[in-house]
Amino acid sequence: MASSNPPSPPPGLVALGNCNAATARGPAAVLRSLGTAPSRPPLDVELPAVPEALQGLRRTVRRYLDAPCTDVQLCVTELVTNVIRHVGEATPVRVRVALTDGNRIRVEVMDPAGQALPVPLSGALDAEDGRGLALLDAVALRWGVEQGVDGKTVWCELGIRRT
């Protein structure tokens, strides 16, 4: 004879749909304490890549992080400047800054030129350019490029400095 009652979840687990606000607070607090829940949504800005936009973009990043963030501002500036120089001024870009679940800040700059990949250069001592990716490499924990159907994303991750 088959039972009409659904099986109950094993002890210690909450069945999907049987979770109320009080039940959810415990696991949510644990996840926050482990640093696995971002504390705010990411900053997402779409703009044309022009030199005049860089100062406002740095200011927006600083307001979003609500803390000194010169390394993050440097990375954003260098990545957008690379788009201006190597893809073209006024290219539409999307800049995303997010607090991740490992006490890191992730910066992403997306542009439509999937074929124009960043290449680190060794700038001459008196050169006025060619150091952007070297600076990125120096301040970021890691960085890379993701190619997609609609372009590419150059990203980097930085540690969060606690003061």
Side-chain angles (χ1 to χ4, degrees), residues 6-66:
S8 39
L13 295 179
V14 177
L16 187 62
N18 291 344
C19 184
N20 61 27
T23 306
R25 281 189 197 104
V30 170
L31 289 174
R32 276 192 303 278
S33 72
L34 295 174
T36 57
S39 60
R40 66 182 84 164
L43 170 69
D44 226 348
V45 179
E46 293 185 21
L47 67 152
V50 293
E52 299 80 21
L54 294 174
Q55 183 178 12
L57 186 56
R58 285 189 297 268
R59 191 171 31 251
T60 300
V61 168
R62 169 103 166 75
R63 283 188 195 131
Y64 169 74
L65 293 173
D66 195 28

Side-chain angles (χ1 to χ4, degrees), residues 59-126:
R59 191 171 31 251
T60 300
V61 168
R62 169 103 166 75
R63 283 188 195 131
Y64 169 74
L65 293 173
D66 195 28
C69 57
T70 54
D71 289 351
V72 177
Q73 291 171 312
L74 173 71
C75 291
V76 167
T77 299
E78 290 302 325
L79 292 176
V80 174
T81 298
N82 276 353
V83 174
I84 294 168
R85 288 193 178 144
H86 303 292
V87 178
E89 192 166 326
T91 298
V93 294
R94 180 176 173 199
V95 177
R96 188 171 191 264
V97 178
L99 300 171
T100 69
D101 58 347
N103 285 330
R104 293 186 178 183
I105 299 169
R106 183 173 172 102
V107 174
E108 299 175 345
V109 175
M110 294 144 266
D111 70 66
Q115 74 286 358
L117 299 178
V119 177
L121 303 173
S122 53
L125 291 175
D126 58 350

